[in-house]
Every structure is written in C-alpha cells, then in structure tokens.
Amino acid sequence: MTDTETIEYDVVVLGAGPVGENVADRTRAAGLATAVVESELVGGECSYWACMPSKALLRPVIARADARRVPGLRRSVQGPLDTAAVLDHRDDYTSHWKDDGQVSWLAGIGAELYRGHGRLAGPRTVAVTGADGTERRLAARHAVAVCTGSRAALPDLPGLSDVKPWTSREATSARSVPGRLIVVGGGVVATEMATVWQALGARVTLLVRGKGLLPRMEPFAGELIAEALTEAGADLRTGTSVRSVTRGADGTVVAVTDGGDRIEADEILFATGRAPRTDDIGLHTVGLEPGSWLDVDDSLQVTGTNWLYAVGDVNHRALLTHQGKYQARIAGAAISARAAGVPILESDPWGAHAATADHHAVPQVVFTDPEAAAVGLSLAEAQQAGHRVRAVDVDLSSVAGAGLYADGYRGRARMVVDLEQEILRGMTLVGPGVGELIHSATIAVAGQVPLSRLWHAVPSYPTISEVWLRLLEAYRDN
C-alpha cells in the first residue's frame, strides 16, 4: 500500500473520545465498516484530563467531608488527606495515561484505528497524517463524524503563554499540591478544582468575574457552594477580573486584578470557558469556517450537508460527556438508518433519530461539597422560554433521610412546574449526596410525567429522595 492510496469505509470518525467511541460502536453494531482517527489517547479528554481524573481526585475529598458530619466517625477523619494516595488513585483511573485498554475495546467492536492528525480533504474524505509524516486517505461511503471535542479557552492577556498557566488538563494531572493556587472562573471546572486543591492543602484564591458561582444554575446553588468553599478556607472574590499575569524568576505567579489587587501564588488555573477543536481539521475544504462551532440538526448532521455529522462538544449544544455520548447514540442510529436506505427518519421530538434531550432534559452534577445537580430549565430559563411556571422550593434538611445522612445537613431543592401542563420543566438540588438523586428528576422531565402520576411514585423512607414527596406537597398546598 502506498502513502497516497485511498481506503474506503462506510463511516469515518474523527476523534476517539467517549463520543467518537460511541458513534463507532453504534455504526459497527449496524454492520457498517468504520474507521476511527485519533491524534492523542484513545478515550479522549474525559478519560485522561477531565471527568475521570477530576472525580477520582474529588471522591476522597467528599468522602472525608461526609464522614466528618457523621457521629462516631468525626474524630477519626480530622487529619489531612493522604495526598500521595489520592494522586495514585487518580493515576489508576486514568490508566496512568495509557490507552491500551481502550484501543483493545475499539478492536473488539471491529473498528479500525488510525493514529495521527485527521483533516477533512473534501467531501467524505479524511487525510490522516501519521507521526512519521506519512499520509493516508480515508473515504467515507456514507458519513464522516467530527467528534474532536473542545479545549480550554484562555483569555487574551499579554504574556500569558510565558506564565504557563494551568488549564483543566494541568489541574487534573498535577503531580504535587501547589502551596498557593489562584483559580480564575466561577463555573464547574473552577469550583471542582478549587474544592480539590483546597482540601489537599493549597491556599486557594478564587477570582470570579460575575456575581457568583455556577451562573447557569439556580442562584442558590452557587451561593451554597460559595459558603462551603469560604468555610473551608478559600478566598472567594466576586466581581473581579484579572488584568495581568506574570511569573517571576523564582516561579511565583503574580496576578493583578482590575481593582488593583496584587495576588501571589505558585500556580494559576484559568477555567474561563471552552473552544471547539475545529481549527485544524480541514473545515475550509468543505466550505466551513475553521475554528467554528458546527451547527447541526437534531440528527447531528451538519447544516447544509448530507454526509457530515458533528457530535459532542463541537456542536456547542451541551458540553457534557454524558450528553455527547447520548448524541453519539442518536447520530449512530441516524447514520445507520440513512445508510440502510430508510426513507423517513424518526425525527419527531423524542424519536430514535432526534437528540431532543439536548433542548429539554440535560442533566448535570457538580461534584463539589455540597454537590449541585440540575436537569432541564431553571426558573429564569423557563420564564424566558415563555412557559407559565412556578418554582417550588424545599429545605432538604427537613427530610429525615438528610438528617441521617449528615449532622447539620444543608441543602435545597427546587422544581420548576409548568402550570398549564402540570409537568416538570426542571429541577435543581444542592446538598451532600444529591448527585445520585438527579436521574429520577431526569426521567420525570424527559418523560414529561404528570404531577398527578408522580404522586404515586412513593419514595422509600427514610431516604433523601423523600424530598420528592415534600416538593409535591408544597405544590399542592400552595
């Protein structure tokens, strides 16, 4: 085989993260010959620099915090965390940044892996440049799926690259605990990493441009997490932007805020947003703008094409691994149906070929202490969408299961009720352990379950899930 020979497949997938893996899994299950192209590690951002390492770091932190709130355990867990053991635990969950297991999984489903940088080279064609500079061309008979994900977006500050700031990648893979850490941002990455490194012994200063944390959730979520971070010792400053950053010869980072404050640290983490990994994948060869988010329909097909799909972060619909995997299942089904000549796809809302949950039922958990979990629309989002809604709030500490879970339990739950249809438009929970409650709310929102039927979904006693009964009672009684 020569370097210029074109190899044909039914489907070519750009990117072997969880999204690309799931597209390949679905198309292979349908009997379509599938090639997957990856320039880094098979398993992608989630496996090595995001979901898995961050949650592996957070789990000991949260477990200790929970134990400190339980009688009989409190005195046993007052000492510091074993940092080496926590980092080793993280390393285990990243497979020590080796992808052998995931490569074997791809081979097991019958997908062909190509290592190298993949770029579109015209319609239905992908050129793969290997590490040795050789190029192979892959032709897709039916579809190319762009699953290249996103990267951390850094602000335009003079000299920032010389400072070598942390992004989410460095924050989840660091080999030691910085004595002082500045975290810039107020979203999920910022709050989770502030929680981790503060608990491991760093003195954390959290600089938030807006009014509070987690601006995309109900305001009380960010307020409760801000209280907890402050109580843990973090220095939280809202309404603050970074004007300049420098690193001295001794390695000290100096950040100057727009208010003139000068803050010194050993490292600085910028958690200020994401950008699509589409700047160097050949979009210009098919009439699309390099570096852009890719607009798609609900089957994840790129607008204006009949062969190109954009799945996961690159379409900017919901930048969450589980949502990208959901999209991958939908896209895989749509690609397979079209390849089989199905004349009409099931494209109505909630159909087999429509990623409807992206619009109505996106769940998310923030693994801080306390946890925050939400699905669907917040009160403000529902009102902006034109729904006639009502918010129903319950103090989670009023639930017997919460008191048993932890002394001094602090938390809150809100459901957003559509008053015309009497279904849930959204739900938000904040408190220890609430991440495991959110799927019940996701089912209620996605299934558009009437509140009259939810009355018959009896929560087990005494569990925190009894909050469902308290919310329904509060709605009925007011």
Side-chain angles (χ1 to χ4, degrees):
M1 178 168 50
T2 67
D3 291 343
T4 56
E5 181 180 351
T6 298
I7 311 163
E8 283 197 345
Y9 292 90
D10 292 314
V11 180
V12 178
V13 179
L14 277 180
V19 175
E21 289 176 324
N22 273 267
V23 171
D25 187 40
R26 293 297 83 213
T27 57
R28 284 297 304 130
L32 298 178
T34 302
V36 180
V37 182
E38 177 55 57
S39 61
E40 292 188 291
L41 296 175
V42 174
E45 199 80 10
C46 174
S47 298
Y48 306 104
W49 301 286
C51 318
M52 298 309 291
S54 66
K55 278 52 187 182
L57 288 168
L58 282 156
R59 181 60 196 146
V61 173
I62 304 304
R64 181 181 67 165
D66 283 345
R68 285 178 170 177
R69 291 187 280 257
V70 177
L73 282 176
R74 189 172 294 115
R75 290 185 181 180
S76 302
V77 289
Q78 288 305 311
L81 288 162
D82 183 338
T83 300
V86 172
L87 297 182
D88 285 346
H89 176 64
R90 183 268 319 273
D91 293 352
D92 287 342
Y93 269 86
T94 60
S95 301
H96 298 266
W97 290 274
K98 295 178 181 178
D99 63 1
D100 300 22
Q102 302 215 42
V103 170
S104 295
W105 179 86
L106 266 186
I109 66 169
E112 190 80 22
L113 174 64
Y114 287 84
R115 299 259 193 197
H117 190 109
R119 298 177 180 86
L120 293 168
R124 291 185 171 86
T125 305
V126 173
V128 184
T129 305
D132 60 358
T134 59
E135 182 178 291
R136 289 181 172 180
R137 287 194 169 237
L138 312 179
R141 285 183 283 266
H142 297 293
V144 174
V146 177
C147 308
T148 48
S150 64
R151 57 176 172 78
L154 291 171
D156 186 17
L157 290 174
L160 184 59
S161 60
D162 297 331
V163 174
K164 293 183 173 57
W166 278 9
T167 67
S168 52
R169 283 199 169 196
E170 290 76 20
T172 56
S173 62
R175 308 306 307 172
S176 60
V177 181
R180 301 160 297 173
L181 175 65
I182 298 169
V183 179
V184 183
V188 177
V189 172
T191 53
E192 288 188 347
M193 290 300 97
T195 298
V196 164
W197 295 109
Q198 178 73 34
L200 288 175
R203 296 198 302 277
V204 172
T205 302
L206 190 56
L207 305 179
V208 184
R209 184 173 58 183
K211 296 179 180 179
L213 302 177
L214 302 179
R216 296 187 178 182
M217 285 189 169
E218 298 282 8
F220 64 82
E223 290 165 5
L224 285 168
I225 291 169
E227 287 177 15
L229 280 169
T230 300
E231 289 173 5
D235 179 4
L236 172 59
R237 308 185 193 188
T238 58
T240 302
S241 296
V242 176
R243 189 173 67 198
S244 68
V245 182
T246 56
R247 189 184 289 270
D250 63 352
T252 299
V253 173
V254 177
V256 179
T257 70
D258 52 358
D261 293 333
R262 185 177 184 275
I263 306 167
E264 293 188 357
D266 299 289
E267 299 292 349
I268 184 167
L269 162 63
F270 280 91
T272 49
R274 307 289 295 178
R277 290 182 180 274
T278 60
D279 51 324
D280 189 22
I281 61 167
L283 289 183
H284 64 285
T285 69
V286 294
L288 296 171
E289 182 67 28
S292 65
W293 302 102
L294 298 176
D295 185 52
V296 297
D297 64 16
D298 276 356
S299 73
L300 292 311
Q301 193 173 81
V302 174
T303 303
T305 76
N306 63 1
W307 60 274
L308 184 63
Y309 293 73
V311 194
D313 283 11
V314 289
N315 61 42
H316 208 233
R317 287 163 67 108
L319 277 67
L320 296 159
T321 295
H322 50 268
Q323 211 66 23
K325 291 163 71 173
Y326 159 73
Q327 292 176 13
R329 295 190 292 272
I330 300 294
I335 291 168
S336 301
R338 286 174 172 138
V342 174
I344 300 175
L345 297 192
E346 296 178 39
S347 57
D348 289 340
W350 308 109
H353 307 122
T356 313
D358 287 350
H359 309 299
H360 302 294
V362 175
Q364 181 173 23
V365 178
V366 185
F367 293 84
T368 46
D369 178 34
E371 290 179 345
V375 64
L377 302 178
S378 67
L379 175 61
E381 288 170 339
Q383 291 171 334
Q384 290 165 6
H387 300 297
R388 192 166 68 88
V389 294
R390 176 179 148 207
V392 182
D393 293 341
V394 166
D395 183 343
L396 267 170
S397 68
S398 67
V399 178
L404 290 168
Y405 189 94
D407 279 358
Y409 191 106
R410 285 185 290 177
R412 185 172 170 185
R414 167 175 287 179
M415 67 178 187
V416 178
V417 179
D418 185 309
L419 296 174
E420 294 178 356
Q421 299 184 52
E422 286 215 317
I423 60 173
L424 294 189
R425 289 292 177 184
M427 190 162 180
T428 300
L429 303 118
V430 184
V434 299
E436 296 300 334
L437 297 183
I438 199 60
H439 192 58
S440 56
T442 303
I443 292 170
V445 173
Q448 298 179 335
V449 182
L451 266 63
S452 60
R453 179 58 62 87
L454 285 176
W455 269 110
H456 299 281
V458 182
S460 297
Y461 182 87
T463 64
I464 303 175
S465 62
E466 198 181 14
V467 69
W468 277 103
L469 177 57
R470 298 290 167 255
L471 287 163
L472 292 168
E473 289 173 334
Y475 176 72
R476 179 197 62 186
D477 295 341
N478 293 286

